[in-house]
Amino acid sequence: MTNDKMTLRNKLVNIALDWQENFGVAPSITSAISEYDAAMLIGMPESEYSDYMQDKTAVSKGADFIYKNTRYQVKANRPSGKKGSFVTMVPKASNYEWDKLIWIIYDSKYVIQEAWEWSVQDYKYAFDIKKRLSPNDYRKGKCLYLSGESQVQVR
């Protein structure tokens, strides 16, 4: 990541953590941060990601971004760090209008702990009829990133 973009990401995270410290609950930035982080994990240039996102809205059906003709859907979890804030359930895709899904789990400071990728075919086969997904379900995909010492508490 370039220093400017990384600094901007860090500023957003620091403001959210400051807000959480002062008001108890962090603002909802996980979606925006995870889409950016997913794009960086797969090697999408920041300038291309920025250009792509300029006419997008916060709510869009299907893919969150497209890179090299591949539509990416991003899901993420971040425990607050407070007592009882374990990640036990993960978000499930509500449609299959994408080619690859990336799931990211953060620690309480928005540091990536794990990232897993699924093709739409494998995801649909594994989870279409399953009602509730856990972190261990997503961990059966292709590992894109795994921190050495995961600080995230999962059950």
Side-chain angles (χ1 to χ4, degrees), residues 17 77-81 105-114 150-153:
L17 293 174
N77 290 91
R78 177 220 166 233
S80 67
I105 187 162
Y106 294 97
D107 68 9
S108 62
K109 306 278 189 214
Y110 297 94
V111 174
I112 298 173
Q113 300 300 298
E114 302 176 41
S150 180
Q151 300 298 310
V152 176
Q153 295 181 347

Side-chain angles (χ1 to χ4, degrees), residues 56-123:
K56 304 301 180 266
T57 62
V59 180
S60 58
K61 188 176 179 180
D64 292 310
F65 65 91
I66 298 172
Y67 179 56
K68 293 186 176 178
N69 296 318
T70 301
R71 300 171 301 165
Y72 286 90
Q73 171 69 241
V74 181
K75 300 293 182 188
N77 290 91
R78 177 220 166 233
S80 67
K82 294 179 182 178
K83 185 178 180 181
S85 70
F86 301 108
V87 175
T88 59
M89 189 171 91
V90 297
K92 184 176 177 183
S94 60
N95 67 65
Y96 299 115
E97 296 175 27
W98 44 269
D99 303 305
K100 292 186 179 184
L101 179 139
I102 296 174
W103 174 66
I104 299 174
I105 187 162
Y106 294 97
D107 68 9
S108 62
K109 306 278 189 214
Y110 297 94
V111 174
I112 298 173
Q113 300 300 298
E114 302 176 41
W116 300 87
E117 182 182 85
W118 284 83
S119 72
V120 69
Q121 297 87 355
D122 291 343
Y123 187 94

